[in-house]
Amino acid sequence: TTGVVVVFRDSTEKRQRQREIEYLSYHDQLTGLYNRRFFDEELRRLDVPRNLPLSFIMADLNGLKLFNDAFGHAAGDEKLRKVAKVLKEKCRADDIIARVGGDEFTILLPLTSRDDLEPLMARITDAVSRERVENLPLSLSLGGATKTDPSESAEKVLHSAEDQMYRRKIYDKGDYHRGLVKLILEALYSRSPAEEAHSKNVGALSE
C-alpha cells in the first residue's frame, strides 16, 4: 500500500510570538525606538566610505530624575515618549534613532554633512521645547559630530558628539534646573495650597 500522510498545524500564534521577540530584541519597549544593540550593529554595517559624510547626534533629556521625583515615573515616561516622537518626526526614514540609556538618545545619519547637522539639531531643540508634560516644558541637550575621513574611527567621532552634548548639558543645567524647580513647585502648590504652607514652615524651621 502506498500513501501519503499530510499534517497541517496552525502556526499563526507561534509566528506572531516570534515576530514580537524579534521586535523586542531590537527595539526599546517604552519609546518604540531602536535599542543600543541594534544601533551598534547598524553602525558597523553603515560605517563604510559610500555613506560618508556620516554624522552622529547625541541627545540627553534634561531634568528627568527631578521630574520623576516630583510627578512619578509615569509622567517621566511620557516625557521620553514625546522626545522619541519629535526625533522620529524631524529625522529621515533611513536615519537610525536609538534610545541608548535611561535619558539618552543617539541618532546615526548617513550621507549627512556638518552643515546639515546644525540646522537639524536646532529644529529638534525647538520642537522639543514646545512639548509639555504636566504643563511643563521639555529640554534636550544635543551634541553632534561628523565623520568625513574613511580612516577615522566612527567610535571616536561618536565620542566627540557625546563630549559636545555633555558640555552643552553642563552649560544648560543651572538655568534649566532652577527654572524647572520653580515650575514644579508652582504646579504642586496649585494642586495643594496646604503643601505650600507646610513646605515654607519646614524651610523656616530648617533655616
Side-chain angles (χ1 to χ4, degrees):
T1 302
T2 301
V4 176
V5 176
V6 180
V7 178
F8 293 91
R9 291 190 179 90
D10 184 356
S11 62
T12 304
E13 186 176 341
K14 180 180 178 181
R15 290 173 64 85
Q16 179 63 27
R17 285 199 305 269
Q18 182 70 26
R19 283 194 292 268
E20 289 174 357
I21 291 170
E22 290 173 356
Y23 179 87
L24 291 174
S25 68
Y26 287 115
H27 289 79
D28 172 56
Q29 193 169 4
L30 176 65
T31 63
L33 300 178
Y34 293 117
N35 57 21
R36 179 181 286 278
R37 175 187 175 189
F38 184 84
F39 179 85
D40 290 341
E41 291 185 7
E42 286 297 282
L43 177 56
R44 287 192 292 271
R45 183 178 71 85
L46 295 173
D47 186 18
V48 292
R50 70 171 181 273
N51 286 323
L52 296 180
L54 185 65
S55 290
F56 301 89
I57 293 175
M58 288 290 296
D60 189 283
L61 180 58
N62 294 318
L64 182 61
K65 183 180 186 304
L66 182 62
F67 194 86
N68 284 342
D69 291 342
F71 297 106
H73 287 276
D77 289 348
E78 181 64 17
K79 289 186 77 169
L80 291 166
R81 282 192 289 266
K82 289 205 170 188
V83 169
K85 178 177 74 73
V86 168
L87 295 179
K88 285 188 281 190
E89 288 173 352
K90 298 302 175 183
C91 293
R92 302 166 301 189
D94 292 338
D95 296 335
I96 307 299
I97 313 167
R99 182 186 176 202
V100 295
D103 55 2
E104 290 187 357
F105 304 85
T106 304
I107 309 172
L108 174 60
L109 305 107
L111 299 173
T112 303
S113 68
R114 184 74 199 192
D115 291 340
D116 295 325
L117 200 59
E118 294 294 341
L120 173 59
M121 291 195 293
R123 291 195 299 272
I124 291 172
T125 300
D126 180 63
V128 167
S129 69
R130 296 180 186 181
E131 296 289 339
R132 294 288 187 276
V133 176
E134 296 289 341
N135 204 32
L136 299 177
L138 278 63
S139 172
L140 202 63
S141 294
L142 299 174
T146 302
K147 174 179 175 175
T148 57
D149 185 347
S151 64
E152 197 173 14
S153 166
E155 287 76 13
K156 186 176 180 180
V157 177
L158 180 58
H159 288 155
S160 295
E162 187 175 24
D163 288 343
Q164 186 186 101
M165 180 266 289
Y166 280 122
R167 286 197 298 272
R168 187 69 198 178
K169 188 174 181 69
I170 291 169
Y171 179 80
D172 294 338
K173 186 175 181 179
D175 290 340
Y176 178 74
H177 272 236
R178 280 191 294 272
L180 183 60
V181 169
K182 183 175 182 291
L183 291 171
I184 286 174
L185 288 174
E186 289 175 356
L188 292 175
Y189 292 163
S190 67
R191 297 178 182 179
S192 177
E195 187 66 30
E196 181 176 7
H198 170 71
S199 296
K200 289 181 177 177
N201 287 336
V202 171
L205 288 168
S206 300
E207 187 177 358

